[in-house]
Amino acid sequence: MIVDAANYLQVYDVDLIYSWTPREFKNLVKGAQLRKVYEHELSAANALFIAKTKNKKKLSLKDLYDGDKVRKEIEKGTSRKEPLHLDRFRKAQQALKEMANSSQKKGG
């Protein structure tokens, strides 16, 4: 979490990062990712203008950078670089099942 904040948001204050809710953090990182997409798309457009002025080849913006595709990946959340670990969730579920089973044995 802190690495994402440092990488995308350039925020290094741990207390500030922990003060955000998970939803706020997710939205801030998504906004930073979309800003980077916009910057890359702008760079691709600039390269397109340079190529057009040199008249070497007919190009489209999507030949250089497909910002729409990257935006869709960010919105879907498929651009995760790290796998989602569900170990804590599974352990919590197992503990709840064991607690429910033990309470049924006491009550029954």
Side-chain angles (χ1 to χ4, degrees):
M1 179 168 138
I2 294 173
V3 175
D4 285 343
N7 186 26
Y8 291 113
L9 304 174
Q10 304 301 316
V11 175
Y12 300 97
D13 185 8
V14 177
D15 293 330
L16 175 64
I17 295 168
Y18 285 137
S19 72
W20 297 329
T21 64
R23 184 175 183 158
E24 286 175 327
F25 177 76
K26 181 181 170 187
N27 288 337
L28 287 170
V29 169
K30 185 186 283 188
Q33 288 174 331
L34 290 172
R35 183 177 54 241
K36 282 192 176 188
V37 169
Y38 175 75
E39 290 170 359
H40 287 297
E41 199 169 38
L42 193 60
S43 297
N46 288 335
L48 179 65
F49 287 127
I50 292 169
K52 188 76 167 175
T53 57
K54 290 185 178 183
N55 202 12
K56 288 187 176 181
K57 182 181 176 184
K58 291 186 177 183
L59 295 172
S60 71
L61 184 59
K62 287 189 178 184
D63 291 337
L64 299 173
Y65 184 76
D66 192 1
D68 293 332
K69 179 180 174 185
V70 177
R71 275 190 201 90
K72 286 179 185 175
E73 288 178 2
I74 290 172
E75 291 297 326
K76 278 197 256 180
T78 58
S79 62
R80 288 185 66 94
K81 294 179 183 174
E82 59 194 43
L84 185 63
H85 297 291
L86 299 174
D87 295 335
R88 289 183 183 172
F89 176 72
R90 290 185 184 125
K91 287 180 182 178
Q93 275 187 329
Q94 185 64 31
L96 286 172
K97 286 180 185 177
E98 290 173 2
M99 191 170 66
N101 288 340
S102 67
S103 68
Q104 287 176 357
K105 289 178 184 177
K106 289 180 184 177

